[in-house]
């Protein structure tokens, strides 16, 4: 099944990729490796989840924020290569979770992105991952996710 068919089955429509808000580019391809800059949970032109997970943002909302970040990553990938079926593998995801010092479920939040990667790309969506907690993120986003993809 194609990636686009998987997205349709999951009820996901990719948005327009977000424009960079500072001095960087949304993606950079070197050979077959595509690196996508961190994406925050934009939906309908605004940040859908703001604040800190565990302090006003629930664990479930954090997972949904991570899922939205991955949707925005896919929008950048599609802009870069034109066809998501060119993705041979999701190589790595990096997750940044805005949370207080006592929060310890960062990995559970990041599963929102990781689970969607596997749902969309199948076994090619299984990836290496780093997830860290941070005191704040741009635009007060609750989550930010960056990615690396192998392109064929």
């Amino acid at each position: 099944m194609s990636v686009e068919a998987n997205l349709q089955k999951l009820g996901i429509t990719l948005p327009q990729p977000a424009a960079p808000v500072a001095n960087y580019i949304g993606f950079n391809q070197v050979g077959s490796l595509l690196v996508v800059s961190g994406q925050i949970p934009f939906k309908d032109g605004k940040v859908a989840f703001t604040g800190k997970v565990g302090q006003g943002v629930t664990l479930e909302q954090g997972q949904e924020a991570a899922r939205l970040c991955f949707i925005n990553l896919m929008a950048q990938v599609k802009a870069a290569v034109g066809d998501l079926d060119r993705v041979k593998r999701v190589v790595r995801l990096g997750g940044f979770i805005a949370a207080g010092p006592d929060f310890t479920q960062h990995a559970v939040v990041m599963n929102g992105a990781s689970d969607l990667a596997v749902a969309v790309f199948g076994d090619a969506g299984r990836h290496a991952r780093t997830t860290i907690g941070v005191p704040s993120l741009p635009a007060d986003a609750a989550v930010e996710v960056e990615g690396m993809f192998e392109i064929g």
Side-chain angles (χ1 to χ4, degrees):
M1 185 177 279
S2 76
V3 172
E4 294 289 341
N6 283 345
L7 289 173
Q8 186 174 12
K9 183 175 92 174
L10 294 167
I12 296 171
T13 301
L14 295 181
Q16 289 292 333
V21 296
N23 189 16
Y24 64 92
I25 54 179
F27 54 81
N28 202 356
Q29 186 169 356
V30 178
S32 64
L33 184 64
L34 178 69
V35 179
V36 181
S37 295
Q39 302 294 303
I40 59 177
F42 275 122
K43 184 175 184 179
D44 300 325
K46 64 178 188 158
V47 181
F49 297 96
T50 59
K52 292 183 178 15
V53 181
Q55 296 178 352
V57 177
T58 67
L59 187 64
E60 294 77 16
Q61 289 171 323
Q63 289 173 320
E64 180 60 23
R67 185 177 187 276
L68 279 172
C69 291
F70 190 76
I71 289 169
N72 289 317
L73 279 173
M74 288 188 292
Q76 293 285 352
V77 172
K78 187 169 183 176
V81 301
D83 182 355
L84 291 175
D85 285 323
R86 291 190 56 204
V87 174
K88 293 175 69 175
R89 171 158 300 285
V90 179
V91 177
R92 178 189 179 277
L93 296 179
F96 305 90
I97 315 302
D102 295 331
F103 186 78
T104 61
Q105 295 184 297
H106 306 88
V108 176
V109 171
M110 190 57 184
N111 283 344
S114 293
D115 292 348
L116 184 57
V118 174
V120 170
F121 293 102
D123 281 341
R126 298 194 184 283
H127 52 275
R129 181 175 96 177
T130 300
T131 305
I132 61 170
V134 297
S136 67
L137 288 166
D140 196 30
V143 178
E144 182 174 351
V145 179
E146 63 183 10
M148 292 184 203
F149 301 82
E150 181 184 8
I151 305 301

